[in-house]
Amino acid sequence: MKKVYYDAGNRIRYLREKQHYTREQLAEMADISPKFLYEIESGQKGFSADTLVRLSETLDTNADYILFGEYRGKVDGDVMRLYSYFDGRQLESIAEILEIVYKITRM
């Protein structure tokens, strides 16, 4: 199977475990079988755009991250300027804060 599916599967598994979902829980939420999710996570099978969207939404991320390991959309210049002020450890803390803010705004 292509490397993109293998890498995407690893990212899906990472996000699933980070959010403390079992494979069965995530599969049910994304409306796929646990066996198919296992095959995706292990890079054995590819997946459709529809499945990618459901997994992205369920894992609270976007398709860019799952497919490429980064957010590849356009980013405002001010955000990039501010981003450059921080080192790796600080960026991890900022990412955690932004995740909290995002979750609050979705309530």
Side-chain angles (χ1 to χ4, degrees):
M1 188 58 54
K2 293 186 177 184
K3 183 173 177 4
V4 69
Y5 290 123
Y6 178 80
D7 292 343
N10 281 329
R11 285 187 280 276
I12 290 166
R13 183 178 62 248
Y14 166 77
L15 290 169
R16 175 179 61 78
E17 290 172 350
K18 182 178 177 185
Q19 296 180 35
H20 306 287
Y21 293 138
T22 65
R23 188 171 289 124
E24 290 76 17
Q25 289 170 324
L26 178 58
E28 183 176 332
M29 290 185 287
D31 196 29
I32 59 177
S33 74
K35 181 179 187 278
F36 184 43
L37 180 56
Y38 168 77
E39 291 169 337
I40 290 172
E41 288 184 347
S42 63
Q44 295 175 25
K45 290 221 173 151
F47 43 85
S48 68
D50 181 60
T51 299
L52 176 60
V53 168
R54 286 184 305 203
L55 286 167
S56 298
E57 288 175 350
T58 303
L59 292 168
D60 203 22
T61 191
N62 67 29
D64 280 352
Y65 179 75
I66 289 177
L67 291 174
F68 307 110
E70 62 186 3
Y71 298 101
R72 298 177 69 177
K74 292 184 179 180
V75 178
D76 184 66
D78 288 338
V79 173
M80 289 306 293
R81 178 180 50 79
L82 292 170
Y83 180 83
S84 69
Y85 295 159
F86 301 97
D87 65 27
R89 180 172 287 163
Q90 292 169 319
L91 289 173
E92 288 177 21
S93 297
I94 290 168
E96 290 174 9
I97 292 167
L98 288 174
E99 284 183 27
I100 292 168
V101 170
Y102 175 73
K103 288 177 182 177
I104 290 170
T105 61
R106 292 191 60 180
M107 292 180 165

